[in-house]
Amino acid sequence: MLNIVLFGPPGAGKGTQASMLVEKYGLNHISTGQVIRDEIRRGTEIGRSVKERIEHGELASDDIVVKLVADFVDQHKLSKGNIYDGFPRTTVQAREFDKTLAGHDEHVDVMLSLEVPETELVKRLLLRGRESGRADDFSIDVIRNRLDIYNAQTAVVADYYRRQGKYSPIDGTGTVDDVFAKLCEVINRFV
Ligand code: AP5
Ligand code: MG
């Protein structure tokens, strides 16, 4: 089974590219951000416990997301491959994720890291905020907070995979199709 970590800052294009990759390669996909937004929308216990943090651009706690992903892994044992979008986002999550996968005799094959300059990210997110109504795209302050948290807590996760020889940087600028072609070039080495 192919296990792909799709990494990158807020607005890098993870969700956009994940849905195209799912289609092309017949993979399954989890966006932890999307799962959390669904929990909030449904008003579940998890949703209520994280709502305020998410709306301010803060991360949910490691325990919560690690468990959400472990459940997904458990439910997708027979998948051809899975794309993990927006997870892991801390080094603790990356270590726990390795343990989760090892429990199924699996491992991360590659981390595809979409690299986009911050000015472009801010532009993309503000634009989407006007269209999508996503609570954490509403204000420039929340967007900045997400980028700061990414730089402070999440960017280091790339080093974790670099040390394992799995880090693959991809230029995330250019058109959606340009970026997709670059991702496919790397994935084709694994399929
Ligand atoms: P999450 O949902 O993962 O949000 P994010 O990382 O902030 O990323 P986005 O979804 O905003 O961007 P994306 O990279 O998917 O880009 P997209 O394709 O949408 O997380 C939300 C929150 O949940 C987090 O802040 C945190 O609180 C919590 N959370 C999630 N995972 C967690 C975890 N593991 N641990 C703890 N907390 C967690 O594209 C963005 C926009 O750009 C779109 O409008 C798109 O159309 C456009 N676009 C895409 N590609 C291009 C291109 N090539 N050129 C021009 N525009 C483009
Ligand atoms: Mg996304």
Side-chain angles (χ1 to χ4, degrees), residues 23-187:
E23 185 83 8
K24 177 171 165 96
Y25 294 98
L27 307 172
N28 289 104
H29 165 226
I30 180 172
S31 154
T32 42
Q34 190 59 55
V35 173
I36 290 170
R37 283 188 290 281
D38 288 346
E39 297 277 342
I40 293 174
R41 191 176 38 75
R42 290 191 285 127
T44 63
E45 198 181 323
I46 290 179
R48 289 196 304 276
S49 73
V50 297
K51 184 170 190 290
E52 190 153 318
R53 295 176 67 87
I54 301 317
E55 289 181 354
H56 287 92
E58 320 268 331
L59 297 182
S61 74
D62 289 333
D63 311 359
I64 288 178
V65 279
V66 164
K67 169 82 170 55
L68 290 173
V69 171
D71 290 346
F72 174 88
V73 171
D74 214 36
Q75 287 154 14
H76 293 82
K77 284 186 217 153
L78 301 176
S79 169
K80 230 169 112 179
N82 294 324
I83 300 178
Y84 299 89
D85 152 1
F87 177 90
R89 242 173 165 97
T90 64
T91 307
V92 171
Q93 291 178 20
R95 277 199 220 104
E96 290 303 316
F97 187 38
D98 275 350
K99 286 188 215 159
T100 300
L101 289 178
H104 295 277
D105 280 330
E106 292 288 340
H107 60 269
V108 170
D109 291 286
V110 64
M111 176 211 240
L112 299 166
S113 174
L114 294 171
E115 324 237 309
V116 178
E118 235 170 77
T119 46
E120 168 76 13
L121 298 171
V122 172
K123 260 195 250 161
R124 288 185 189 179
L125 293 173
L126 282 173
L127 185 67
R128 186 180 58 190
R130 290 205 284 271
E131 291 159 1
S132 76
R134 226 176 91 168
D136 58 350
D137 285 343
F138 260 1
S139 82
I140 183 73
D141 290 344
V142 172
I143 290 174
R144 289 249 172 258
N145 198 28
R146 281 157 68 198
L147 292 169
D148 288 349
I149 288 172
Y150 174 83
N151 290 325
Q153 299 180 40
T154 304
V156 289
V157 176
D159 297 329
Y160 181 87
Y161 289 102
R162 196 183 277 119
R163 284 194 292 275
Q164 297 185 1
K166 294 174 180 171
Y167 166 73
S168 185
I170 306 281
D171 177 4
T173 61
T175 68
V176 168
D177 288 340
D178 289 340
V179 178
F180 184 62
K182 287 178 215 154
L183 290 170
C184 292
E185 217 176 283
V186 179
I187 294 176

Side-chain angles (χ1 to χ4, degrees), residues 10-24:
K14 301 181 295 290
T16 304
Q17 297 295 333
S19 58
M20 293 164 72
L21 294 170
V22 161
E23 185 83 8
K24 177 171 165 96

